Amino acid sequence: MSKRIDVGDLNVYYGSFLAVEGVSMAIEPRSVTAFIGPSGCGKSTFIRTLNRMHEVIPGARVQGKVLLDGEDLYGPNVDPVTVRRQVGMVFQRPNPFPTMSIRDNVLAGMKLNSTRLSRNDAKDIVERSLRGANLWNEVKDRLDKPGSGLSGGQQQRLCIARAIAVQPDVLLMDEPCSALDPISTLAIEDLIGELKKNYTIVIVTHNMQQAARVSDRTAFFNIAGTGKPGKLIEMDDTTKIFTNPTVKATEDYVSGRFG
Amino acid sequence: MSVATKPAPPAGASSLAQNQLPRYTTQLVLVLSIAAGAGLSALFGGFSIVSFAVLSVLAFLVVNTVLSGVVEGRRKAKDKLVTGLVYTAFGIALVPLVSVIWSVVDNGMARFSIDFLTTSMRNVTGLNDQQALEGTAPFIGGAYHAILGTFLITGLATVISVPIGLLTSVYLVEYGRGRLAKAITFFVDVMTGIPSIVAGLFAAALFAVLFGVGTRNGFAGAVALSVLMIPVVVRSSEEMLRIVPNELREAAYALGVPKWRTIVRVVIPTAISGIASGVTLAIARVVGETAPLIVTAGFTSSINNNPFSDWMMSLPAYVYSQAMRPLSGSSPQPSFDRAWAAALTLILIVMLLNLVARLIARLFAPKTGR
């Protein structure tokens, strides 16, 4: 259930503004790929094109190809809803549904789509997903309480549980730890290590130590200046990017000499 | 006025300390000013409540400010002056509110009873009122038909307005882009300002065209009221839908939920408490409309259960007819009493609706318990 992603010469636009230019990359299944780079360089914009969340913003569009196991996400007659069922996403800020209990939040992917679930199946999915997100022991006695009553770190793990409950092929994470404390961050990094056994994981992060800790491959994005499009500078094994990058800009960025 | 001041701190005690009036000074000055106001008012041309209030407030503001200025300094004096002015303004704002409620309750209680709420005006004539005044017969005649009419007409207006208003606001927030959305917003704003009599004439004209001149029934009244209600519902629901965080929509999209399901299952439930209380307040806003109902639903003294045929009474029209056209020209008091009692009923209904709005808002609010 883990799929590979191939991106071919992708341009991303907001209206007429070219935000990301000419990205080509291959993302291996059952691995963690990290995107690093300065703010505004288009990492988040790019990751949102991988499950067609980009086009939710009015005027946003994409040129190029994104292949999920060889099938083009942007091909004619492709329904973005179907794409998003296979490519899940976790956002920067934890966003559990405030009207739902913890249990319903985990089941949101099915409940919102009115998928019929037997009571036992629902119970299994809730337990499996919450265990998968390392949250089961903390919330098993209060599954009927609202999800918004949890701490920030717990809410973020609840969102991860919600994303893996629908068993996607790919899990995109847009700075999942940026709103969390170091302990919760550690919990989520451990979780990413677990999840990569089953999922293709793409993570955007501003924290280079985090990228070094969790990822197998790292992509460095950069921007030439304000108003210029962001570009993929270099992509390689994480150890190579952090120890012996090919491009000077990458070395400057990872060693803190940027700007 | 013997207001003790603290002795100035000895030099070098603290550079942060300064003279302060004791905390009870303001209350003391207030009591003394009220006494002085009463005295002055009696002295100048006899006691009257207005001159008493004005003189007391003036005395309080002047004395309190000057005293504070002398002892505590300019900044504190300004603070006390402005605080005093704010409280005065608050008091003035309360005057009409309290006096309206007072006069309605005071005059309305005379005839307000279970009997009044459960009987209509059918076969009640000026003769009954005269006999009642003479003490030879009991007071009869109530507002049941008007209460029923008000509930039926406002209920129908709600049934018409809420779907249209809610769907319009969903369009504006979730789908509307460009000129069409701007035009709708503009016309909704214009509709908010339509005088209610214009809405009434519109509905009357519409029904005249469709069903013949002079057609008046409860449904026509409901249409007139929904013209007034729709913009209020659109506006309040739009506000509520807009404050639903975009992150929740994105969270639902990322789970592979189609847009329409996201709106129905995530966005509206999150905003429902605000929408429901907005709708209730919109109902409270139109329930007392008089002019549009007079030209569309008309008057009657009998109970009419069917809003689709025949004239239908409503509470505001009832108040109007009892006050302006008493049953008995020579002894109008019973009619006036009925008008006041109906006004009291209307105020109670509005109050109840506001309470319901609060209850709904609390009931549906997203839970945050731990």
Side-chain angles (χ1 to χ4, degrees), chain B residues 17-301:
Chain B
Q18 61 176 37
N19 286 333
Q20 266 188 332
L21 289 164
R23 299 186 59 172
Y24 53 80
T25 314
T26 307
Q27 285 94 317
L28 193 67
V29 172
L30 183 64
V31 170
L32 292 175
S33 317
I34 289 173
L40 286 172
S41 170
L43 211 64
F44 297 118
F47 183 82
S48 87
I49 202 94
V50 177
S51 69
F52 161 61
V54 171
L55 288 170
S56 303
V57 168
L58 278 181
F60 172 74
L61 287 177
V62 170
V63 172
N64 203 33
T65 309
V66 169
L67 190 66
S68 173
V70 169
V71 180
E72 296 178 316
R74 282 177 61 97
R75 189 174 60 80
K76 290 257 181 176
K78 270 186 210 156
D79 175 43
K80 291 207 165 169
L81 176 64
V82 174
T83 311
L85 288 175
V86 167
Y87 275 100
T88 311
F90 169 67
I92 294 172
L94 275 184
V95 168
L97 185 70
V98 170
S99 81
V100 163
I101 291 181
W102 175 256
S103 56
V104 171
V105 170
D106 191 37
N107 291 300
M109 284 315 280
R111 277 289 290 143
F112 191 77
S113 64
I114 293 294
D115 187 54
F116 178 78
L117 296 178
T118 52
T119 58
S120 76
M121 290 298 288
R122 190 170 178 84
N123 296 335
V124 180
T125 61
L127 198 60
N128 298 98
D129 282 356
Q130 278 169 15
Q131 285 169 344
L133 274 185
E134 288 156 10
T136 54
F139 283 104
I140 55 169
Y144 175 72
H145 59 309
I147 296 171
L148 183 76
T150 285
F151 277 120
L152 283 175
I153 292 173
T154 355
L156 268 176
T158 311
V159 169
I160 299 170
S161 315
V162 170
I164 296 178
L166 187 57
L167 291 176
T168 307
S169 59
V170 165
Y171 171 78
L172 287 176
V173 176
E174 304 289 338
Y175 295 95
R177 302 269 173 272
R179 283 206 185 152
L180 182 59
K182 278 205 182 108
I184 291 176
T185 311
F186 175 74
F187 284 113
V188 166
D189 282 349
V190 171
M191 268 175 84
T192 319
I194 286 184
S196 57
I197 182 70
V198 176
L201 287 174
F202 158 74
L206 180 71
F207 276 72
V209 170
L210 293 179
F211 304 107
V213 176
T215 308
R216 289 189 191 181
N217 55 39
F219 187 62
V223 169
L225 289 190
S226 34
V227 171
L228 297 168
M229 214 173 145
I230 288 170
V232 183
V233 174
V234 172
R235 269 300 183 200
S236 63
S237 327
E238 192 191 343
E239 297 295 319
M240 291 303 141
L241 292 177
R242 273 199 206 286
I243 59 172
V244 172
N246 225 357
E247 295 158 11
L248 295 182
R249 296 186 180 93
E250 296 201 335
Y253 295 153
L255 289 168
V257 181
K259 185 165 185 170
W260 71 272
R261 275 193 200 276
T262 304
I263 294 168
V264 175
R265 306 286 295 268
V266 175
V267 179
I268 292 181
T270 308
I272 193 72
S273 79
I275 293 173
S277 59
V279 167
T280 324
L281 291 177
I283 296 172
R285 171 77 192 72
V286 297
V287 79
E289 283 296 346
T290 319
L293 291 182
I294 290 175
V295 296
T296 50
F299 302 94
T300 173
S301 55

Side-chain angles (χ1 to χ4, degrees), chain B residues 104 107-113 116-117 143 315 318-319 336-346:
Chain B
V104 171
N107 291 300
M109 284 315 280
R111 277 289 290 143
F112 191 77
S113 64
F116 178 78
L117 296 178
L315 272 172
Y318 181 89
V319 173
F336 291 166
D337 286 346
R338 278 195 285 266
W340 281 110
L344 178 60
T345 315
L346 196 55

Side-chain angles (χ1 to χ4, degrees), chain A residues 48 84-85 112 148-149, chain B residues 250 253 256 261 265 367 370:
Chain A
R48 287 166 63 94
R84 291 177 200 141
R85 283 178 190 169
L112 293 179
S148 43
Chain B
E250 296 201 335
Y253 295 153
R261 275 193 200 276
R265 306 286 295 268
K367 282 107 194 139
R370 283 177 189 272

